[in-house]
Amino acid sequence: MSSWLDYTINGLIVGNVYALVAVGLALIFGVSRLINFAQGSIYLVGAYIGWVAVVQLHTPLPLTIIVVAVAAALVGLIIERFGLRPLQNSVRIAPLLATIGISFVLDQLVMLTFSPNPRALPSQLPDVRFQIGGGTIEPLDLLIAGVGLTSALLLFVFLRYTKLGWAVRATAQDRDAAMQMGVDVNRVNQAVFGIAAALGGVSGLLVGMYYNQIDTAMSLQATLKGVVAEVVGGAGNVPGAVIGSLLLGLVESYGVAAFGTSYRNLFAFLLLVVVLVLRPNGLFASARQAPPEPLTGTFIAPSRPVRIPRWALLVVLGVFAILPLLPVSLYVLQTLINAWLLGMLALSLTLVAGTIGQVSLGHAALLAIGAYTSALLSLTFSVPVGFAIIGGGLMSAALGTALISPSFRLRGHYVSIATLAIGEIVSLVILNWEGVTRGPIGVSGIPPLSLFGYELISPTSIYWFSFVVMVVLALLQARLLGSHLGRSFRAIRDDDVAARAYGLSLNRYKSLAFIFGGFAAGISGGIAAHLYSYINHETFNTQQSILALTVVILGGLGNVVGAVVGSVALVGLPEVFRIAAEYRILIYGIVLLLLVRFRPQGLLGTI
Amino acid sequence: MSNIDRRTLVKGSLAAMTAGAAMSRGAFAQSSEPILLGVSGPLTGPNAQYGTQWKQGFDLALDEILAAGGINGRKLAYSFEDSQSDPRQSVAIAQKFVSDPRIVMELGDFSSTASMAASPIYQRGGLVQFGFTNSHPDFTKGGDFMWSTSVSQADEQPLLAQYAVRRLGLKKLAVLHLNTDWGRTSRDYFVKAAKEYGAEVAVTEGYIAEERDFRSTLVRVRDANPDGLILVSYYSDGALIARQARQVGLKQTICAASSVYSPKFLELGGDAVEEVHLGTRYFPEDPRPEVQKFIAGFKKKYNGQEPDAFNAYSYDAMNMAAAIVKIGGTDRRAIRDAFTKVKDVPSVIFGKATFDVESRRVKGAMNAELVVRKGQFALWDGKPT
């Protein structure tokens, strides 16, 4: 019995840590309806500024906190002014992508300045411990709780009782109306980003001290857990974010208690999916709260797609088809093989995200399902590789659609968060379901690609194989988009109420889109498995999902040619920047930001 | 940065990219050019810290090799390509190296995911993939061009079990391990050996690499009532676990795998890692000349910084590569064959390293039983803690 008390206390302690990030995320979401993926990076910056202050300058704790808060707030203001404000009249997904780009840039800057080695960030509080149950808590626990609760409380008061707070809430409810009433919306956004960033920076500092350890990989994890906690509590709801964080901590702790450590994150993401399905507005949303997304129109603003003449497409296609016959190095071919594989994934995502408007952040899970199915079919049941890959595609279509179907009723950002969680769940199931997936050891010795008994092992033959598969999938998809089905998909994306009024069954069409998309992604994963010969639960990770989404937005949502062009660009750019060594991801992030800034509808435009 | 001029490297690789297929392999074998090794490893992304440590070890070894006259008068150099430990990038790098006639062999990658995905390309391309940190049991099964000096966990874990059970007299163990291919393989070998030595394994807990909070895990450990904690961890997570174990009041003996052997473990763990026992392959007071030369050289080159396990692996790997190239020359097949011929290469980890031709690995890692005392790694004096 006493152990359960300990698990409860431990859950609350770690929930306390999550709350610091979640509150900042909630504040920004509350005002700009934006999931700020750069919040984790600000947290990282705060931790390292704190390290400089504590270890190099020997500042006392109150001064350290002030220094970190001010510096982080400045970073937040810069992000708002130069990263997000220029995008305020562009499509609504542009700022989301911009925050991803900003987080690349910030993380890389920190890594280049401080080296990726972890550092110790000693706590500046006295080392006394209070016994509670079987464990202890320390003053830092109290300070973290104090900062979390106080900031939530202060924000609550600020939003409810001050003039600027009213302006913030008015802006959150209706930007245009607030502007008409004379609210300086930019100033509001500035204030919000400054406060959220200061909070993010301080949380990085405190969490770093808490573990006596900071490193450059802490940013993504912080964002992920923060997003989960925030959404569980009700996106944009500041006190809800605190309670959501505590709940998340508890669920994780009880999950560890009941099943063991390796199940921990599985419970975190299951909690998120359950909450999203049952109460999409979060546990603490009031009944009369307006839906957080507009009723019509989603992220995606229509734009005029770039028309590419048919002969030009044919010429480009021809050039790529005969490329292996030209004197190009195998390295170029291998890079393009990667691009074609990513292209299949992007085709899949551009269909579900662009055409029908379900922006998925967990698309790598479809790759993983296809890859494992195909690998295990060919290894365990000696299915010929060609059929195994098709099996992977079918399994991905079926399982992917089944997994996503509970979140069909969600809209906008919530679809993205649900798919993010489903993607993590798939990866964690692969890690833990050892009987089938071989767990952390992974699957090795996967046979190479073969077709009708002929092994495809030369880069040239693999190139042609993946190219042809991708082109066939692209043609099928183009045909689909031009059909009645494609028009129905777009109708649902543009106005689901009107679409329903016309008698379109939303769930059925969404399922159809995911079935087709899942198939393409599964095929891509299957081919990759046979290409790599070894896969494990990390082969297809969250970064891959984010990359796929970047490709799709870069190419133009729903745009088939755009998806392929985007894949070539985003596989090619980091390779081209190899000359820049450690700086290449930084350059890549900056290029991404510039693209979002100047071409938010994508290179080829939304269809 | 690699120690050859970046501009020549860029020019060279551009030339190789455009003309690589057409050019014969011997075209670059003029003696003025350095002999070039390809390195595929993480310089950015979540594993970036290990790539940086590799470089330190490589650069030290290359300085010494150059001072000793290079490879038959030619300079040895490497071209480091950042893979982010991502299989998609490591396969592209593999093809790049295979198509670049100047590269005579390849070192890396870091993670199994990235390394083993690239293995088919190296095997088919006939370029040696020398994975010096790849402990995955299937790595060298990828083909006869895959060789590894990574200490086999089948060798290392029984030594750790012996230390914990026989020497420290622990009878009931809790094993915490990274839930990766390395951690999982290690755990299995450890548990098997510990049972053979007569200890009971009360609980095993696998955690993911990004985990930072271990309090709830440690409650599970406490409830299993062990008399010792075994950490199959790297230094950053090992330090976190040790700290939190002490914070929640667990006072049991902690015994850790050699991968925590790093000054960072002491820095991050602070007082909590005091009296932590660990088996390592070398230690600062080790009288062996190769160890003394390595430590002295490392401190001199890097402002007094103490080297850690990953520095030692990469230092050894570069010395091994030099010994191989001395025998095999610049022909890729001859280099593969040189792995079967090379004998007794001085090594920090193995003392004298010779490959077992069957498994394409090196057996017989050195063993030292250390304990952390007064914030330093010290040889264990046999006194109970």
Side-chain angles (χ1 to χ4, degrees):
Chain A
M1 224 26 232
S2 77
S3 297
W4 286 100
L5 177 65
D6 292 336
Y7 286 119
T8 309
I9 293 168
N10 291 335
L12 293 175
I13 288 175
V14 72
N16 202 5
V17 169
Y18 297 151
L20 286 176
V21 182
V23 167
L25 282 168
L27 186 62
I28 291 178
F29 190 92
V31 176
S32 43
R33 292 282 176 258
L34 169 69
I35 296 173
N36 180 16
F37 275 91
Q39 189 74 6
S41 303
I42 295 173
Y43 166 95
L44 182 70
V45 170
Y48 274 87
I49 293 172
W51 181 84
V52 171
V54 172
V55 177
Q56 306 276 339
L57 308 173
H58 307 289
T59 50
L61 185 63
L63 187 60
T64 313
I65 291 182
I66 293 172
V67 167
V68 169
V70 170
L74 278 177
V75 176
L77 292 180
I78 293 171
I79 292 177
E80 194 277 328
R81 179 65 191 84
F82 297 102
L84 299 175
R85 199 182 299 175
L87 299 176
Q88 68 190 194
N89 294 319
S90 76
V91 287
R92 295 200 36 224
I93 198 155
L96 182 77
L97 195 59
T99 61
I100 293 176
I102 290 166
S103 86
F104 276 177
V105 171
L106 283 180
D107 289 0
Q108 287 304 313
L109 283 176
V110 171
M111 189 181 278
L112 289 170
T113 319
F114 292 96
S115 95
N117 268 323
R119 285 161 195 261
L121 179 57
S123 163
Q124 295 176 305
L125 284 169
D127 189 19
V128 284
R129 312 203 63 89
F130 312 107
Q131 186 79 26
I132 293 188
T136 58
I137 61 168
E138 57 180 315
L140 201 51
D141 285 316
L142 301 177
L143 180 64
I144 289 175
V147 171
L149 288 175
T150 321
S151 54
L153 194 71
L154 279 180
L155 285 174
F156 185 75
V157 171
F158 164 75
L159 291 175
R160 191 135 298 214
Y161 299 106
T162 67
K163 210 158 180 193
L164 187 57
W166 295 346
V168 169
R169 284 163 56 214
T171 313
Q173 279 177 6
D174 191 333
R175 253 181 74 87
D176 295 335
M179 260 158 82
Q180 282 165 355
M181 301 308 290
V183 171
D184 184 347
V185 176
N186 287 333
R187 216 178 115 234
V188 167
N189 266 334
Q190 242 171 11
V192 164
F193 262 86
I195 295 171
L199 203 58
V202 172
S203 45
L205 168 75
L206 294 179
V207 175
M209 283 186 174
Y210 189 64
Y211 293 124
N212 187 36
Q213 186 166 330
I214 54 175
D215 64 59
T216 44
M218 62 200 260
S219 138
L220 181 65
Q221 280 303 310
T223 311
L224 276 182
K225 288 290 168 72
V227 166
V228 174
E230 183 220 352
V231 175
V232 167
N237 178 339
V238 172
V242 174
I243 300 173
S245 305
L246 296 178
L247 193 64
L248 174 63
L250 284 177
V251 167
E252 285 187 4
S253 186
Y254 293 144
V256 171
F259 294 95
T261 310
S262 63
Y263 289 88
R264 170 181 193 139
N265 282 2
L266 195 55
F267 283 95
F269 291 109
L270 279 176
L271 170 74
L272 177 66
V273 172
V274 169
V275 168
L276 275 180
V277 169
L278 298 181
R279 285 190 68 104
N281 281 348
L283 289 178
F284 306 101
S286 61
R288 51 197 180 83
Q289 187 175 327
E293 297 292 330
L295 278 174
T296 57
T298 49
F299 287 132
I300 296 135
S303 72
R304 193 198 299 255
V306 178
R307 285 231 159 268
I308 305 170
R310 186 171 288 244
W311 61 266
L313 269 181
L314 284 175
V315 167
V316 173
L317 210 64
V319 169
F320 278 116
I322 60 161
L323 199 62
L325 304 176
L326 305 175
V328 292
S329 82
L330 297 179
Y331 164 55
V332 172
L333 290 188
Q334 183 65 48
T335 307
L336 284 171
I337 292 172
N338 283 348
W340 304 144
L341 290 179
L342 181 61
M344 295 175 213
L345 180 69
L347 283 174
S348 156
L349 186 57
T350 210
L351 181 70
V352 297
T355 308
I356 201 162
Q358 308 285 300
V359 177
S360 159
L361 270 176
H363 233 57
L366 297 174
L367 286 181
I369 295 172
Y372 269 90
T373 309
S374 183
L376 294 172
L377 277 180
S378 59
L379 270 179
T380 319
F381 301 103
S382 314
V383 175
V385 171
F387 291 111
I389 292 174
I390 295 175
L394 295 174
M395 178 63 96
S396 204
L399 203 56
T401 311
L403 285 172
I404 196 73
S405 56
S407 51
F408 279 162
R409 52 187 288 226
L410 303 176
R411 293 152 178 273
H413 278 102
Y414 291 87
V415 179
S416 314
I417 295 166
T419 47
L420 179 76
I422 290 168
E424 294 292 320
I425 289 171
V426 168
S427 159
L428 289 163
V429 167
I430 288 173
L431 177 63
N432 284 306
W433 195 8
E434 296 192 2
V436 172
T437 62
R438 309 186 189 177
I441 305 288
V443 183
S444 61
I446 305 169
L449 288 173
S450 67
L451 216 54
F452 311 118
Y454 294 99
E455 288 205 336
L456 307 176
I457 49 177
S458 73
T460 317
S461 56
I462 299 172
Y463 175 89
W464 270 319
F465 177 72
S466 49
F467 183 64
V468 167
V469 172
M470 189 210 59
V471 170
V472 168
L473 286 170
L475 289 175
L476 276 176
Q477 190 156 324
R479 178 80 190 77
L480 181 84
L481 293 189
S483 72
H484 167 74
L485 194 58
R487 284 191 294 279
S488 309
F489 284 169
R490 285 194 293 274
I492 290 171
R493 170 191 76 189
D494 292 339
D495 192 333
D496 61 358
V497 177
R500 207 156 41 186
Y502 258 93
L504 294 182
S505 156
L506 299 189
N507 286 357
R508 188 174 304 167
Y509 282 94
K510 285 180 182 173
S511 301
L512 278 175
F514 271 95
I515 288 171
F516 191 88
F519 183 74
I523 294 280
S524 169
I527 296 176
H530 295 281
L531 207 56
Y532 298 159
S533 84
Y534 173 75
I535 51 172
N536 68 12
H537 66 286
E538 285 171 335
T539 308
F540 308 101
N541 53 15
T542 318
Q543 274 100 323
Q544 186 71 4
S545 301
I546 294 176
L547 177 67
L549 185 60
T550 321
V551 165
V552 166
I553 296 167
L554 179 69
L557 282 155
N559 195 320
V560 170
V561 180
V564 178
V565 171
S567 302
V568 174
L570 288 194
V571 170
L573 285 179
E575 294 294 329
V576 171
F577 296 143
R578 275 202 181 282
I579 326 171
E582 288 95 328
Y583 296 91
R584 71 192 181 104
I585 302 301
L586 181 65
I587 299 174
Y588 170 73
I590 293 171
V591 170
L592 196 64
L593 280 176
L594 292 176
L595 280 169
V596 177
R597 168 72 182 81
F598 293 107
R599 193 91 191 136
Q601 72 276 44
L603 290 173
L604 300 186
T606 309
I607 291 183
Chain B
M1 294 302 111
S2 70
N3 59 348
I4 69 163
D5 180 19
R6 179 161 294 290
R7 187 164 295 174
T8 34
L9 185 63
V10 171
K11 269 194 209 151
S13 40
L14 284 178
M17 264 164 70
T18 46
M23 212 166 280
S24 84
R25 202 166 276 167
F28 277 93
Q30 303 121 355
S31 57
S32 60
E33 293 278 330
I35 298 173
L36 201 55
L37 308 171
V39 181
S40 165
L43 288 177
T44 57
N47 292 321
Q49 57 193 38
Y50 304 108
T52 343
Q53 284 164 332
W54 283 9
K55 275 188 164 185
Q56 292 181 321
F58 288 155
D59 290 343
L60 175 62
L62 286 179
D63 286 356
E64 293 176 5
I65 292 162
L66 187 63
I71 310 292
N72 307 329
R74 279 180 73 181
K75 198 177 164 188
L76 187 64
Y78 65 86
S79 152
F80 202 128
E81 292 291 0
D82 173 25
S83 69
Q84 300 190 302
S85 276
D86 171 6
R88 277 154 291 271
Q89 300 186 44
S90 71
V91 296
I93 293 169
Q95 197 64 64
K96 185 173 187 180
F97 285 154
V98 167
S99 329
D100 182 345
R102 299 170 308 148
I103 304 280
V104 299
M105 70 186 264
E106 187 268 353
L107 284 76
D109 201 286
F110 176 74
S111 72
S112 300
T113 341
S115 313
M116 290 166 69
S119 294
I121 294 179
Y122 289 116
Q123 178 66 25
R124 288 168 207 153
L127 180 66
V128 163
Q129 183 185 25
F130 178 29
F132 58 97
T133 55
N134 295 115
S135 65
H136 194 293
D138 291 345
F139 172 73
T140 54
K141 293 180 190 159
D144 60 348
F145 280 87
M146 275 77 237
W147 295 79
S148 176
T149 48
S150 171
V151 180
S152 160
Q153 295 311 309
D155 279 354
E156 168 164 356
Q157 295 305 324
L159 293 172
L160 184 65
Q162 187 182 345
Y163 189 12
V165 181
R166 286 266 172 89
R167 306 262 288 150
L168 293 168
L170 304 175
K171 289 278 163 267
K172 196 175 177 192
L173 304 170
V175 181
L176 286 91
H177 65 96
L178 261 173
N179 208 2
T180 59
D181 55 302
W182 170 78
R184 187 49 199 275
T185 317
S186 304
R187 182 199 86 176
D188 292 345
Y189 282 120
F190 179 87
V191 168
K192 185 163 161 274
K195 282 185 178 152
E196 277 167 17
Y197 291 132
E200 178 196 348
V201 176
V203 61
T204 69
E205 289 289 326
Y207 60 90
I208 57 169
E210 293 84 17
E211 199 68 82
R212 295 192 157 232
D213 173 72
F214 295 95
R215 287 165 182 271
S216 298
T217 304
L218 289 166
V219 175
R220 273 177 83 88
V221 168
R222 185 196 70 195
D223 290 352
N225 202 20
D227 57 7
L229 268 62
I230 308 296
L231 307 185
V232 180
S233 309
Y234 289 171
Y235 51 79
S236 50
D237 35 315
L240 281 171
I241 297 175
R243 271 177 73 88
Q244 291 176 31
R246 297 307 184 223
Q247 282 175 3
V248 301
L250 293 180
K251 297 191 172 55
Q252 283 91 335
T253 308
I254 297 180
C255 206
S258 65
S259 37
V260 304
Y261 182 64
S262 163
K264 284 278 171 197
F265 183 64
L266 305 175
E267 183 191 338
L268 300 172
D271 290 343
V273 296
E274 202 62 19
E275 299 297 337
V276 168
H277 296 262
L278 62 155
T280 62
R281 311 284 76 88
Y282 75 96
F283 64 102
E285 287 78 35
D286 201 331
R288 289 187 286 137
E290 52 271 27
V291 175
Q292 286 310 320
K293 185 175 152 206
F294 166 59
I295 293 176
F298 195 92
K299 282 185 165 170
K300 186 160 168 250
K301 188 168 167 70
Y302 300 108
N303 307 322
Q305 188 194 332
E306 291 271 353
D308 69 10
F310 287 97
N311 295 134
Y313 296 150
S314 60
Y315 174 80
D316 265 8
M318 190 51 82
N319 282 325
M320 176 59 86
I324 297 278
V325 174
K326 265 188 188 146
I327 295 177
T330 54
D331 181 72
R332 289 175 174 181
R333 275 182 188 274
I335 282 187
R336 177 198 58 184
D337 298 337
F339 274 87
T340 62
K341 294 175 194 150
V342 75
K343 285 220 163 36
D344 295 335
V345 180
S347 153
V348 174
I349 305 296
F350 294 99
K352 299 267 182 281
T354 305
F355 280 95
D356 170 48
V357 178
E358 274 302 298
S359 64
R360 292 190 282 279
R361 288 185 181 275
V362 180
K363 282 191 179 137
M366 305 300 285
N367 189 37
E369 292 172 345
L370 303 190
V371 62
V372 181
R373 292 253 162 92
K374 301 195 181 74
Q376 296 290 333
F377 290 109
L379 202 58
W380 187 51
D381 49 13
K383 283 184 194 146
T385 48

